[in-house]
């Protein structure tokens, strides 16, 4: 092997773990809210462990672009490069979804939610068990208070990074949203 090639390999070996360490360091910051073991410190904060990588990336990108805004996350995303966001999305998607210990919705609530889910064909995109894939988020067993708040924000357009979801949610009342959040959280 020519020495210069050897030097490049040696340099790569040095750079790659350094970058991985960098991501692990950034992820430590995320853990202060999204949870060290994947359970967020607060019910209003979403689970990101085990979430689909494509979706995680798109949300970070949208926070950075300003297409989705949140006082904390908009700030967080400004310091991240595209590579950071892709690496963080990969990193968190590979973690197991945590057990939040949320209780299943009662029968009447579940039935109301299922009627809505069938009429709106949620599973066309969110798939079986609401696990999503790629750019479509997993919403089953997501934190209840976060789900309710984000469904409302999507409906009002305050969270306006997906027009389709906004148009869809306009058809539903506060009680419908409450039923959906309780049902999804308990899946
Ligand atoms: C100080 C607390 C805090 C920190 C630190 C933090 N987040 Fe967040 N994160 C939040 C909150 C609160 C939300 C919900 C925002 C909303 O309601 O729109 C959120 C939302 C998100 C979402 C959207 C999830 C979804 O289901 O739509 C992603 C992705 C995310 N955070 C990733 C990260 C990453 C990656 C880091 C580290 C670089 C990080 N967060 C650091 C509090 C935090
Ligand atoms: C045409 C496809 C499609 C349909 C139908 C659909 N969704 Fe979505 N949904 C999405 C996509 C894509 C996103 C992510 C939007 C974004 O990038 O912010 C999303 C986001 C969400 C979120 C926010 C998740 C989070 O972590 O912040 C919830 C909750 C949700 N959908 C619930 C539902 C429910 C309940 C239904 C049925 C009433 C439904 N969706 C129907 C595609 C769809």
């Amino acid at each position: 092997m020519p020495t210069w090639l050897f030097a490049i390999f040696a340099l790569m070996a040095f750079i790659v773990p350094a970058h991985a360490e960098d991501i692990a360091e950034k992820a430590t910051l995320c853990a202060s809210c999204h949870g060290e073991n994947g359970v967020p410190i607060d019910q209003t904060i979403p689970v990101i462990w085990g979430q689909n990588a494509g979706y995680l990336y798109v949300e970070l990108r949208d926070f950075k672009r300003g297409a989705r805004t949140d006082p904390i996350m908009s700030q967080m995303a400004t310091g991240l490069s595209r590579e950071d966001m892709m690496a963080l999305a990969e990193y968190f998607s590979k973690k197991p979804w945590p057990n939040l210990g949320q209780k299943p919705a009662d029968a009447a609530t579940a039935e109301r939610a299922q009627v809505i889910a069938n009429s709106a064909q949620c599973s066309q995109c969110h798939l079986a068990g609401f696990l999503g894939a790629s750019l479509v988020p997993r919403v089953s067993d997501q934190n209840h208070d976060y789900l309710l708040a984000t469904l409302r924000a999507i409906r009002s357009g305050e969270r306006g990074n997906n027009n389709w979801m906004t148009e869809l949610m306009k058809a539903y009342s506060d009680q419908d949203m409450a039923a959906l959040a309780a049902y999804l959280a308990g899946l």
Side-chain angles (χ1 to χ4, degrees):
M1 196 194 305
T3 9
W4 62 268
L5 196 56
F6 183 77
I8 287 176
F9 281 144
L11 195 64
M12 276 170 63
F14 181 73
I15 289 169
V16 172
H19 188 64
E21 245 169 54
D22 185 40
I23 287 307
E25 208 175 284
K26 289 200 166 76
T28 310
L29 175 64
C30 317
S32 63
C33 292
H34 291 280
E36 303 227 340
N37 52 2
V39 178
I41 59 165
D42 187 291
Q43 276 262 310
T44 62
I45 302 175
V47 169
I48 58 171
W49 275 38
Q51 183 54 280
N52 302 315
Y55 174 72
L56 288 175
Y57 169 73
V58 165
E59 298 315 290
L60 291 171
R61 183 201 66 185
D62 285 358
F63 281 126
K64 184 167 179 170
R65 281 182 177 171
R68 179 177 174 184
T69 54
D70 174 72
I72 299 164
M73 283 309 302
S74 303
Q75 188 61 36
M76 284 287 144
T78 49
L80 301 174
S81 67
R82 186 168 181 272
E83 288 68 37
D84 289 339
M85 294 191 269
M86 289 175 78
L88 285 165
E90 270 309 303
Y91 177 91
F92 284 113
S93 72
K94 293 208 167 76
K95 301 273 188 186
W97 189 275
N99 182 359
L100 303 183
Q102 299 184 114
K103 294 198 177 59
D106 63 69
T109 305
E111 201 188 315
R112 180 172 189 159
Q114 276 161 346
V115 168
I116 299 169
N118 288 336
S119 76
Q121 299 194 300
C122 315
S123 62
Q124 287 267 349
C125 302
H126 290 279
L127 307 179
F130 282 91
L131 295 175
S134 178
L135 303 181
V136 181
R138 169 177 173 157
V139 291
S140 52
D141 201 20
Q142 180 55 279
N143 250 335
H144 172 269
D145 294 2
Y146 168 76
L147 279 174
L148 187 56
T150 213
L151 283 171
R152 286 191 176 138
I154 288 172
R155 184 182 59 185
S156 73
E158 186 196 329
R159 173 174 169 181
N161 60 332
N162 188 288
N163 289 333
W164 167 262
M165 276 298 301
T166 296
E167 284 312 313
L168 184 67
M169 287 303 155
K170 280 181 184 161
Y172 300 103
S173 67
D174 282 345
Q175 288 90 326
D176 292 335
M177 302 245 149
L180 283 172
Y183 173 67
L184 294 172
L187 280 181

